[in-house]
Amino acid sequence: MKKMKLGSYTPGTSLIHQLDPRTKLLSGLVVIIVILVDNSWPVLVLNTVLIFLVLYLSKISPKSVLHGVKWLWIIFAASFIAHCVCTQGEPWFSLGPLVVSKEGISRGLATFLRLLILYLCSTILTMTTSPMKLAGGLEALFAPLIYLRVPVNQFAMLITIALRFIPTLIEEAETITKAQKSRGAPFASPKKMVRLKTTLAVLIPLVVSSLQRATDLAVAMESRCYTGGPHHSRTKNLCFGRYDLVALAVTVVICISGTIVG
Amino acid sequence: MVVIKKDDFISMQGIQLSNVTKEYFNSQNDKFCALKAVNLAIKFGEFVGIAGENGSGKTTLARLLNGLLLPSAGRVTVNGMDTRQRRVIKEIRRLVGMVFQNPDNQLVSPVVEEEIAFGPENLNLPRQEVNKRVEKALQIVGLENLRQKSPHMLSGGQKQRVAIAAALAMQPDYLVLDEPTSMLDQTGRRRILEHLRKLNRKHGITIILISHNMEDLIGADRIIMLHQGRIAGDGTPWKIFQRDDHTVALKPPNIVRMAQILRKRGYRLDQQITTLEQMENGICRLLKSTT
Amino acid sequence: MPVIEINNLSYVYNAGTLNEKRALDNITLSVEKGEFLGIVGANGSGKSTLIQHFNGLLLPSSGSIFVLGHDTRDKQYRSQLWKSVGLVFQFPEQQIFEATVYDELAYGLRNIGLGQPEIEVRVKEALENVGLIPEEQFLNTEPLCLSGGMRRRIAIASILAMKPDILVLDEPTAGLDPEGYAHILDTIKRCRKNQDVTVVMVSHYINDLLILSDRLVLLDDGCLQIWGPTREVLASADVKDYDLLFPDYIKLLHNLKKQGFQVNTGVLTLEEAVDEIDRLLEGE
């Protein structure tokens, strides 16, 4: 039932696990922006090295990350091939009617690396950071927006509650699906409309119970004096230490030097 | 200026309901009266059971106690504070902890520890104080080793214990539990009841336990029966179990019924038998006295 | 003739992962046609996992299960099994999704492919069976407007309407108030009277099952501990190991027996227990 889902948090004590979530969020953001804005080779190579270094330091088995999803590799491969074939330039070799250019290979490789870095950045972030810390990190980073009357605290509470109830909802959906199957719900019907109605037979009860749950939860929260304020266990537990400074500095230096050389 | 009358002093401690009526309007705009002119005093330190069938007003009563609902007429006071006064409502909610029926629908946080910290943090307590209270509450309900777990991995009984701990972290005087055992299995139910008794005896917390299972209420100091929005009975469990009125469709516990039937058949069993041990001893004594 | 035959059935959740859990361990069991089988066990003992094998929602990790004479591993057979094995889940009111009571009850019947006249007859019959009468009053009601106990009766009726050969109920009385509880029990008693239907009922507390069951199964941590005729199970001394599953009047008799008194511990109801004590006191 509860399979190990890709990118789900794997508890650990590695250096990367211990970093402040804000550090990880910011560094990830910097890396992603740089590789999206500047696709020169030095930037890509340096960032690839960086991300694999982080992967090594996080002590997550590379296998679990890289072999995680097959379809992702299909996308990687497809984008690589598409770039190879569709880019005009000096022909290198040809395969029947398809002409592969040197520029194509280089652009295909660059795209592949960008996708890989994007994927690894997000996966390592979620695998080494507990959802609560992530929510706390986001709340802290967006805290200045409170002055613009953006309800940051309430939003963080929203994420917290979502994190709490997603597993419950999944379980409930599984049970309802089984219950409807027991009444012969045609989940595998060839007709689109029938399948739609069958999906509704699971969705409607799920929505109904969620509304009931929301009502109950609101009462329970009110009973415990909730008024929409900030939550320390999310934000105050964060501590920005020496390693965070080093990590941020390394990221920034690598990104800047890559851009300059490129 | 606040004028304190003489009888206000008497009612400072405890919860007072004086002439409380609560009306609802349904979708057709019909008036429905959930509680009718209820007068009730709950003393500090009591273990009170509230029983009654569905629609008798049990849940309405519970929600009036911490100001989740406000009376349509009459007044509810907690340690002398009126629930209708907005400036004391936070203090009232702190004093009167609530645990609800569905264990799943009252926990907000994905981690047990943070769940328990939720209340104290809403009170804006300093970090160390919050940690201290979380520690204490975990220890009282015996969940220290599950502190890092996510609630969805716990059993129903464990979830209810988390909910109790979460209420305890507010350091309440009163704990109101609205059918906390009805969705649990026997192990979970027994555990919860043991904890409630301990909280009452050892920690001096007033327990107000709502249940339609009379077995749950055997250990109470006092049972209040509700029927159609009115108080239909108020007394010790034993006194309530002896009642033979058919307006209240709640069966006394098995052992009590057994004792009643045996006594009717002429056996001279001891008075006030409510537990299995008492019954066993009673029968043994009878058997030995006849030989 | 057994309608369900289970041989050495084991079921493992998340096989091969860190969360691997053996939910059922080497269960051998059979259910006779027309019998009422009670399955009792604490939460997490594997009751729900077991009954989901009955209509092919789960397949054994090892061992086999034959339902109405066929192996549920046969995919063709399994996909049609829901028509003959009606499974009522725990808290079945959660599965209600149609806008009217009539449509909710007709859902399974339409999936079977019955015609309109037959559906109407069966819906009314099922409503009567769960005690929601007069039926006309309920047909066009919105299920969400009804009380929890009534919604549960509608969910049960939606399975009854399909007229299954085997009716399986998972904790049908859990979390209900005394009134709702009594209605559900009445419904189940009515089902029991119908000799053509085999009923399997699961509960974490034996009380409901005592007067209904022909035979009882006791599950503990995925293992079948006791299986036999109800009175024999109650009379057996093992009862004291499962303290929380049995009602206190039965425990009382067992305690008295342990003290050396001649007591028949095979009683079902409180009244029988009182009679037994009466006899004991009289005899001395």
Side-chain angles (χ1 to χ4, degrees):
Chain A
M1 255 199 307
K2 282 162 226 104
K3 289 187 200 87
M4 250 283 290
K5 303 231 163 54
L6 184 84
S8 65
Y9 175 57
T10 20
T13 51
S14 77
L15 181 66
I16 304 297
H17 278 88
Q18 282 169 15
L19 285 180
D20 188 296
R22 285 169 296 183
T23 311
K24 286 187 260 190
L25 280 164
L26 278 178
S27 328
L29 196 68
V30 170
V31 168
I32 288 172
I33 289 174
V34 167
I35 60 161
L36 287 183
V37 172
D38 185 347
N39 65 347
S40 63
W41 278 106
V43 171
L44 285 175
V45 171
L46 274 173
N47 277 303
T48 311
V49 172
L50 175 69
I51 201 77
F52 274 97
L53 182 74
V54 171
L55 181 62
Y56 170 74
L57 286 175
S58 73
K59 301 208 173 110
I60 298 172
S61 87
K63 227 171 116 187
S64 71
V65 181
L66 297 175
H67 290 255
V69 263
K70 289 200 183 74
W71 55 265
L72 210 69
W73 288 104
I74 296 171
I75 293 175
F76 286 180
S79 84
F80 177 69
I81 293 167
H83 273 100
C84 288
V85 176
C86 299
T87 312
Q88 304 285 323
E90 187 187 330
W92 193 36
F93 67 88
S94 61
L95 241 154
L98 301 175
V99 180
V100 177
S101 62
K102 275 187 182 159
E103 282 83 356
I105 296 265
S106 119
R107 282 185 64 177
L109 251 171
T111 312
F112 167 74
L113 283 180
R114 284 162 96 182
L115 285 174
L116 187 68
I117 293 170
L118 269 177
Y119 166 67
L120 285 177
C121 256
S122 53
T123 312
I124 294 174
L125 175 69
T126 54
M127 282 182 87
T128 60
T129 321
S130 82
M132 275 305 276
K133 274 195 171 164
L134 211 55
L138 283 170
E139 189 177 1
L141 283 178
F142 284 115
L145 291 182
I146 290 175
Y147 298 109
L148 301 175
R149 298 185 177 238
V150 177
V152 175
N153 295 324
Q154 284 89 329
F155 206 73
M157 192 67 224
L158 202 81
I159 298 177
T160 310
I161 292 176
L163 288 170
R164 153 80 182 89
F165 282 104
I166 283 169
T168 315
L169 271 175
I170 292 175
E171 246 163 64
E172 207 168 283
E174 275 172 1
T175 312
I176 296 173
T177 306
K178 279 181 179 171
Q180 306 300 27
K181 268 187 191 165
S182 303
R183 293 200 284 167
F187 281 99
S189 164
K191 292 189 201 119
K192 229 184 202 151
M193 280 314 287
V194 176
R195 277 210 310 274
L196 184 72
K197 168 129 203 224
T198 313
T199 317
L200 284 181
V202 178
L203 269 179
I204 292 172
L206 216 53
V207 170
V208 170
S209 78
S210 300
L211 288 176
Q212 181 59 48
R213 182 163 288 149
T215 319
D216 287 359
L217 209 58
V219 173
M221 286 166 74
E222 208 185 327
S223 295
R224 288 199 268 152
C225 304
Y226 179 70
T227 47
H231 264 256
H232 311 289
S233 63
R234 285 198 304 262
T235 49
K236 294 273 164 65
N237 245 356
L238 308 177
C239 91
F240 195 85
R242 251 182 321 142
Y243 287 114
D244 292 294
L245 210 60
V246 175
L248 259 185
V250 169
T251 315
V252 171
V253 166
I254 285 183
C255 288
I256 290 176
S257 59
T259 323
I260 291 169
V261 176
Chain B
M1 199 180 89
V2 187
V3 183
I4 301 173
K5 281 178 286 174
K6 197 183 160 207
D7 49 308
D8 275 350
F9 276 119
I10 305 163
S11 59
M12 275 307 258
Q13 282 264 315
I15 299 178
Q16 290 269 358
L17 281 81
S18 16
N19 238 337
V20 170
T21 298
K22 179 69 192 170
E23 291 161 345
Y24 295 106
F25 291 93
N26 68 9
S27 48
Q28 279 89 45
N29 232 6
D30 297 328
K31 205 152 67 174
F32 168 73
C33 208
L35 284 180
K36 295 165 196 155
V38 168
N39 283 297
L40 179 65
I42 294 167
K43 285 198 286 286
F44 187 71
E46 265 190 314
F47 191 133
V48 183
I50 297 182
E53 60 268 65
N54 265 16
S56 58
K58 291 176 299 188
T59 297
T60 304
L61 177 64
R63 292 184 179 193
L64 283 164
L65 299 182
N66 77 342
L68 281 172
L69 294 176
L70 296 175
S72 314
R75 68 177 197 156
V76 180
T77 57
V78 176
N79 288 1
M81 291 175 285
D82 193 321
T83 56
R84 277 175 310 188
Q85 287 181 299
R86 290 198 59 82
R87 62 190 167 79
V88 292
I89 198 69
K90 208 167 178 177
E91 177 64 5
I92 288 179
R93 299 232 166 106
R94 183 191 75 73
L95 280 170
V96 185
M98 280 272 197
V99 175
F100 299 89
Q101 177 181 23
N102 191 327
D104 246 324
N105 295 4
Q106 54 182 316
L107 305 180
V108 288
S109 174
V111 184
V112 167
E113 232 175 8
E114 286 163 12
E115 181 66 42
I116 298 169
F118 181 77
E121 275 171 3
N122 286 332
L123 299 176
N124 293 323
L125 294 171
R127 184 80 215 150
Q128 288 88 347
E129 177 64 16
V130 173
N131 288 343
K132 223 166 74 191
R133 289 191 179 192
V134 169
E135 216 50 46
K136 180 103 190 287
L138 276 170
Q139 188 206 330
I140 292 176
V141 298
L143 288 174
E144 292 106 316
N145 50 350
L146 297 177
R147 61 189 337 144
Q148 290 291 336
K149 281 268 185 316
S150 161
H152 86 273
M153 295 161 83
L154 308 183
S155 72
Q158 287 168 334
K159 279 183 213 164
Q160 285 303 46
R161 273 152 71 201
V162 173
I164 291 175
L168 289 179
M170 309 278 272
Q171 299 192 336
D173 281 356
Y174 310 90
L175 196 56
V176 180
L177 304 103
D178 192 354
E179 306 204 18
T181 61
S182 77
M183 295 175 86
L184 308 183
D185 71 353
Q186 292 299 310
T187 323
R189 160 176 253 138
R190 177 101 35 118
R191 259 278 178 60
I192 295 291
L193 293 175
E194 275 165 17
H195 277 298
L196 292 184
R197 219 158 353 232
K198 192 179 84 180
L199 284 174
N200 182 245
R201 300 272 183 274
K202 196 172 149 202
H203 301 271
I205 294 172
T206 310
I207 305 284
I208 298 151
L209 174 62
I210 296 175
S211 179
H212 50 235
N213 187 341
M214 286 296 198
E215 309 259 352
D216 286 359
L217 304 181
I218 291 178
D221 298 324
R222 167 184 176 203
I223 293 180
I224 294 159
M225 302 285 289
L226 282 180
H227 183 67
Q228 292 181 351
R230 292 182 198 278
I231 292 182
D234 185 346
T236 62
W238 196 77
K239 203 178 122 201
I240 293 286
F241 296 152
Q242 297 308 308
R243 288 167 61 116
D244 197 20
D245 61 29
H246 297 283
T247 52
V248 184
L250 294 160
K251 273 194 296 185
N254 283 332
I255 295 294
V256 175
R257 268 162 68 211
M258 254 180 144
Q260 283 168 354
I261 303 174
L262 285 171
R263 225 174 272 127
K264 252 184 217 148
R265 292 189 188 175
Y267 294 109
R268 291 170 58 196
L269 279 171
D270 313 349
Q271 290 294 302
Q272 310 213 354
I273 286 181
T274 51
T275 68
L276 183 70
E277 290 73 35
Q278 291 169 348
M279 188 69 177
E280 202 182 321
N281 293 337
I283 292 173
C284 286
R285 211 166 298 142
L286 276 183
L287 283 168
K288 273 162 201 155
S289 68
T290 47
T291 49
Chain C
M1 194 196 90
V3 284
I4 299 177
E5 265 189 285
I6 302 169
N7 287 307
N8 305 328
L9 183 146
S10 293
Y11 186 81
V12 183
Y13 277 114
N14 304 320
T17 70
L18 283 173
N19 302 330
E20 182 172 304
K21 187 181 179 293
R22 186 167 281 262
L24 290 171
D25 195 3
N26 208 18
I27 306 270
T28 299
L29 184 71
S30 70
V31 187
E32 294 296 321
K33 186 174 162 56
E35 94 165 307
F36 194 112
L37 180 77
I39 301 180
V40 67
N43 279 358
S45 58
K47 305 176 305 261
S48 299
T49 310
L50 179 63
I51 58 167
Q52 286 181 23
H53 283 81
F54 292 1
N55 73 344
L57 281 174
L58 297 177
L59 291 176
S61 306
S62 68
S64 68
I65 169 165
F66 285 77
V67 179
L68 297 165
H70 294 271
D71 195 327
T72 60
R73 275 171 297 194
D74 177 350
K75 202 175 170 192
Q76 204 71 46
Y77 180 67
R78 185 169 76 231
S79 66
Q80 298 302 314
L81 199 54
W82 59 271
K83 291 177 189 167
S84 32
V85 183
L87 184 54
V88 179
F89 275 74
Q90 196 172 2
F91 303 116
E93 60 274 24
Q94 281 186 350
Q95 75 198 32
I96 292 174
F97 75 102
E98 295 275 16
T100 67
V101 169
Y102 176 85
D103 284 328
E104 185 63 34
L105 265 66
Y107 182 67
L109 304 175
R110 288 185 185 130
N111 287 333
I112 293 179
L114 295 178
Q116 189 64 26
E118 172 75 7
I119 291 182
E120 271 177 37
V121 173
R122 287 216 193 174
V123 166
K124 284 186 181 162
E125 215 176 270
L127 277 178
E128 203 185 313
N129 262 328
V130 294
L132 292 174
I133 37 182
E135 305 94 79
E136 289 74 20
Q137 194 193 316
F138 290 96
L139 288 176
N140 290 314
T141 324
E142 209 174 307
L144 286 178
C145 297
L146 299 171
S147 74
M150 282 194 178
R151 286 214 301 278
R152 181 159 312 172
R153 278 145 79 190
I154 284 162
I156 293 177
S158 82
I159 300 290
L160 290 181
M162 301 199 294
K163 294 197 172 163
D165 297 323
I166 305 171
L167 177 66
V168 188
L169 301 139
D170 192 354
E171 307 258 11
T173 57
L176 286 182
D177 63 298
E179 194 200 340
Y181 181 97
H183 279 298
I184 300 284
L185 222 57
D186 281 347
T187 302
I188 298 168
K189 278 179 191 159
R190 264 190 291 261
C191 297
R192 195 191 184 292
K193 281 202 192 109
N194 184 349
Q195 287 298 314
D196 292 333
V197 185
T198 310
V199 186
V200 179
M201 180 167 148
V202 164
S203 180
H204 64 71
Y205 189 47
I206 210 164
N207 227 2
D208 315 336
L209 295 173
L210 286 176
I211 44 166
L212 295 166
S213 308
D214 298 309
R215 286 196 287 181
L216 269 186
V217 164
L218 198 153
L219 283 180
D220 185 25
D221 204 17
C223 298
L224 188 143
Q225 297 294 347
I226 307 179
W227 172 36
T230 308
R231 279 187 199 271
E232 282 176 34
V233 169
L234 292 178
S236 77
D238 296 343
V239 165
K240 64 177 182 299
D241 298 336
Y242 304 102
D243 190 42
L244 289 166
L245 300 177
F246 292 90
D248 37 14
Y249 56 87
I250 289 176
K251 271 180 264 170
L252 176 69
L253 293 182
H254 276 269
N255 287 356
L256 290 172
K257 191 178 180 182
K258 212 166 55 191
Q259 295 203 18
F261 299 111
Q262 292 291 317
V263 204
N264 170 22
T265 50
V267 302
L268 300 184
T269 61
L270 183 100
E271 286 69 28
E272 282 183 34
V274 173
D275 288 343
E276 188 59 28
I277 291 173
D278 198 352
R279 194 191 56 76
L280 182 73
L281 289 168
E282 208 80 313
E284 292 289 329

